[in-house]
């Protein structure tokens, strides 16, 4: 009967088999598509636009990240197969950090908070959960390098968009985004993301501050450079135009933190390159500096002054003057702090996220946050040494450089108060954790089980909630 049916429908079996083979790829790309939308909402929507009724959590990027958390929780509740055995350092560090944040929030609420701190504490905890959602979705959702590459290309795409818009702002001296409005969302009437330093415009693209703009550039630069070097089958212009745009925009950002972060990322990338590649990189760097010297007279002198002005720089003195006040506030709650989000700018501005976390979450919270960053750096570092081919080694080094660049910038401003900066940090932490797991699986370090085609329609209405079906045949679909 089976042979007869096949003879009457010669193409039916082929179509069904092809659909079954394509379904795992489609499902595994769902996470990458979701994260790409998250990046677009983060970098292509002005940071000042919010749903005013929702307060500090009314940004589209925060709401989308909360959906990621819901997705991840529903998957954990409904999945029928156990997770592959293996260490998840990033996820463990995240759990510990969230535990301290929740404990700090609970203690603060029990003791009572001033009215002006109560709402920021609620919003701060919600934003932490949202960032955790996007981290967990990426960390557990990416099952192979295909999805990883999609997300990395999306990071480069949005970094390029941010760089090009910033360059246009630098040239024109105008915001260029004042006309953007979204129904149901409002903006601060006195909002301006254009600043001037040393006679040069400090662009910000869609960000609310040039420092946040610098985080996006420094995060995307090492990834753009690595993809340009490794994906040689793609068009030359498509590979190198993002690198050139992001590099030029970083220099023209007139920002100490952006320059330091890009330099650190560049230094971390160098050990993974061959000698000839290093020489070409040095020549290209000198050429970039020479071109900027010719095209923008006086800019290099302004940039040099940023690092030689010392204590005469008001942006430095405003930071250091607030340190004693911040440390004095820590004395009341030294272990778990006063709750995330309650260290308000009206008290003192320190422009140092690590010091801010020390006040808000205490010594324990800062230690857990540092452990979270170190776990991501360690995963990328170990993936670099365990990778099965050069492309993955280079990509691991790029993730390491990108994450290190973001971590450095947080010492220069309160990054978790800015949606783009926080989004890039937690996104890259999720990527580092997923990268470590993928490399282990490619090396055979984790028992991933026997891959089988999924049973379509077995769980009606669950569809998209299987973004990272692990493909282990436990007999439940028979």
């Amino acid at each position: 009967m089976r042979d007869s049916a096949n003879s009457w429908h010669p193409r039916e079996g082929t179509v069904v088999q092809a659909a079954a083979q394509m379904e795992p790829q489609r499902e595994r790309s769902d996470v990458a598509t979701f994260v790409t939308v998250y990046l677009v909402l983060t970098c292509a929507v002005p940071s000042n636009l919010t749903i005013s009724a929702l307060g500090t959590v009314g940004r589209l990027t925060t709401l989308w990240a909360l959906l990621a958390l819901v997705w991840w929780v529903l998957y954990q509740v409904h999945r029928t197969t156990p997770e592959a055995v293996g260490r998840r350092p990033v996820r463990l560090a995240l759990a510990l950090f969230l535990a301290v944040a929740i404990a700090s929030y609970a203690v603060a609420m029990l003791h009572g908070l001033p009215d002006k701190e109560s709402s920021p504490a609620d919003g701060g905890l919600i934003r932490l959960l949202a960032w955790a959602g996007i981290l967990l979705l990426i960390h557990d959702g990416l099952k192979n390098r295909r999805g990883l590459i999609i997300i990395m290309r999306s990071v480069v795409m949005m970094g390029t968009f941010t760089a090009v818009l910033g360059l246009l702002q630098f040239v024109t001296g105008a915001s260029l985004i004042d006309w953007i409005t979204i129904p149901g969302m409002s903006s601060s009437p006195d909002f301006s993301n254009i600043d001037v330093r040393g006679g040069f415009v400090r662009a910000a693209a869609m960000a609310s501050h040039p420092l946040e703009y610098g985080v996006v550039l420094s995060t995307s630069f090492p990834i753009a450079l690595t993809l340009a070097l490794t994906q040689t089958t793609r068009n030359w212009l498509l590979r190198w135009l993002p690198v050139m745009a992001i590099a030029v925009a970083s220099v023209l950002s007139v920002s100490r933190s952006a320059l330091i972060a890009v330099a650190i990322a560049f230094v971390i990338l160098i050990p993974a390159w061959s000698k000839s590649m290093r020489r070409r990189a040095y020549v290209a760097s000198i050429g970039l500096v020479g071109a900027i010297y010719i095209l923008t007279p006086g800019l290099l002198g302004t940039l040099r002054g940023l690092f030689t002005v010392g204590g005469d720089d008001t942006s430095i003195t405003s930071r250091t003057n607030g340190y004693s006040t911040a440390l004095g506030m820590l004395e009341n709650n030294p272990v778990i702090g006063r709750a995330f989000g309650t260290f308000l700018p009206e008290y003192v501005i320190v422009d140092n996220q690590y010091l801010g976390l020390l006040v808000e979450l205490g010594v324990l919270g800062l230690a857990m946050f540092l452990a979270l960053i170190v776990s991501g750096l360690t995963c990328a570092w170990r993936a670099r040494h365990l990778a099965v081919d050069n492309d993955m080694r280079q990509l691991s080094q790029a993730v390491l450089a990108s994450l290190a660049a973001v971590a450095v910038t947080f010492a220069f401003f309160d990054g978790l108060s800015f949606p783009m900066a926080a989004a890039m940090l937690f996104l890259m932490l999720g990527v580092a954790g997923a990268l470590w797991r993928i490399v282990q699986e490619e090396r055979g370090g984790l028992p991933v089980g026997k891959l089988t085609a999924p049973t379509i329609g077995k769980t009606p209405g669950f569809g998209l909630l299987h973004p990272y079906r692990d493909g282990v045949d436990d007999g439940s679909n028979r």
Side-chain angles (χ1 to χ4, degrees):
M1 293 296 293
R2 182 178 299 174
D3 293 338
S4 175
N6 287 339
S7 64
W8 283 102
H9 302 281
R11 295 181 58 84
E12 182 178 356
T14 303
V15 173
V16 172
Q17 291 175 5
Q21 293 173 358
M22 292 174 63
E23 185 67 13
Q25 295 181 356
R26 183 193 68 80
E27 286 192 305
R28 287 167 183 161
S29 68
D30 285 342
V31 170
T33 303
F34 188 96
V35 176
T36 297
V37 174
Y38 176 72
L39 282 166
V40 172
L41 293 177
T42 299
C43 299
V45 175
S47 294
N48 63 301
L49 291 181
T50 61
I51 301 174
S52 55
L54 298 179
T56 58
V57 299
R59 292 185 175 91
L60 294 180
T61 180
T62 302
L63 300 177
W64 194 255
L66 286 172
L67 286 179
L69 179 62
V70 172
W71 185 359
W72 182 83
V73 170
L74 287 177
Y75 171 76
Q76 296 297 331
V77 171
H78 286 84
R79 63 183 175 87
T80 58
T81 55
E83 286 188 335
V85 178
R87 287 179 292 179
R88 304 284 203 278
V90 172
R91 202 167 70 176
L92 175 60
L94 175 67
L96 295 175
F97 175 64
L98 289 179
V100 174
I102 293 172
S104 177
Y105 174 83
V107 171
M109 288 301 176
L110 286 175
H111 290 169
L113 285 174
D115 292 339
K116 61 182 178 181
E117 293 182 6
S118 178
S119 179
D122 295 338
L125 186 60
I126 293 174
R127 285 184 286 119
L128 282 179
L129 293 175
W131 297 327
I134 205 68
L135 186 157
L136 291 170
L137 186 68
I138 297 172
H139 184 285
D140 294 344
L142 296 180
K143 286 299 180 183
N144 52 45
R145 67 172 68 188
R146 177 177 176 269
L148 188 66
I149 292 297
I150 292 175
I151 291 180
M152 293 296 93
R153 287 179 178 174
S154 299
V155 171
V156 173
M157 176 183 67
M158 298 317 303
T160 306
F161 168 80
T162 300
V164 171
L165 179 57
L167 290 174
L168 292 175
Q169 291 174 335
F170 179 85
V171 172
T172 62
S175 173
L176 302 179
I177 64 172
D178 297 336
W179 58 273
I180 299 179
T181 58
I182 299 178
M185 303 189 73
S186 59
S187 171
S188 174
D190 57 347
F191 171 78
S192 176
N193 64 341
I194 295 297
D195 192 8
V196 177
R197 172 181 279 175
F200 293 95
V201 173
R202 297 182 69 194
M206 294 287 183
S208 57
H209 194 277
L211 288 171
E212 189 178 20
Y213 167 76
V215 171
V216 177
L217 297 179
S218 58
T219 304
S220 56
F221 174 73
I223 298 172
L225 183 55
T226 298
L227 292 182
L229 291 171
T230 56
Q231 298 189 344
T232 55
T233 57
R234 301 183 68 204
N235 180 272
W236 185 91
L237 185 61
L238 293 178
R239 288 187 291 125
W240 287 103
L241 182 60
V243 177
M244 293 183 287
I246 296 171
V248 173
S250 298
V251 177
L252 298 183
S253 64
V254 200
S255 171
R256 259 187 307 261
S257 58
L259 292 174
I260 292 173
V262 170
I264 288 175
F266 188 74
V267 169
I268 293 176
L269 287 176
I270 288 176
W273 296 342
S274 64
K275 291 183 179 180
S276 60
M277 189 181 299
R278 294 175 192 174
R279 286 194 294 268
R280 289 196 294 268
Y282 298 147
V283 171
S285 301
I286 295 173
L288 174 62
V289 173
I292 291 175
Y293 177 79
I294 295 173
L295 297 175
T296 55
L299 178 61
L300 293 182
T302 300
L303 295 178
R304 184 176 63 252
L306 295 178
F307 296 93
T308 59
V309 69
D312 296 333
D313 191 340
T314 56
S315 66
I316 295 178
T317 56
S318 65
R319 289 175 168 90
T320 56
N321 290 339
Y323 287 176
S324 59
T325 303
L327 294 175
M329 297 176 68
L330 175 66
E331 294 177 357
N332 297 326
N333 304 280
V335 180
I336 58 174
R338 51 189 291 121
F340 180 75
T342 60
F343 189 29
L344 304 180
E346 62 188 77
Y347 297 155
V348 63
I349 298 177
V350 295
D351 281 336
N352 185 323
Q353 185 59 68
Y354 300 107
L355 181 57
L357 283 174
L358 181 63
V359 175
E360 293 180 337
L361 297 180
V363 175
L364 192 57
L366 177 60
M368 293 302 100
F369 184 72
L370 292 175
L372 177 60
I373 293 177
V374 170
S375 67
L377 294 172
T378 303
C379 284
W381 173 262
R382 298 178 69 181
R384 160 82 171 87
H385 292 279
L386 282 181
V388 297
D389 55 55
N390 183 62
D391 285 357
M392 284 299 279
R393 284 192 291 272
Q394 296 288 343
L395 187 60
S396 300
Q397 194 80 1
V399 172
L400 175 65
S402 180
L403 188 52
V406 181
V408 166
T409 61
F410 274 45
F412 299 105
F413 78 122
D414 49 334
L416 295 183
S417 299
F418 296 85
M420 286 189 185
M424 300 308 290
L425 173 67
F426 283 88
L427 183 145
M428 293 310 303
L429 286 170
V431 167
L435 177 66
W436 168 236
R437 194 195 66 255
I438 291 170
V439 167
Q440 289 183 90
E441 291 176 356
E442 290 183 348
R443 286 289 296 259
L446 288 177
V448 296
K450 179 181 178 182
L451 294 178
T452 60
T455 303
I456 302 175
K458 192 68 175 179
T459 52
F462 200 51
L464 191 62
L465 296 179
H466 275 299
Y468 30 86
R469 182 175 298 168
D470 39 30
V472 179
D473 186 6
D474 62 348
S476 61
N477 290 331
R478 296 195 187 100

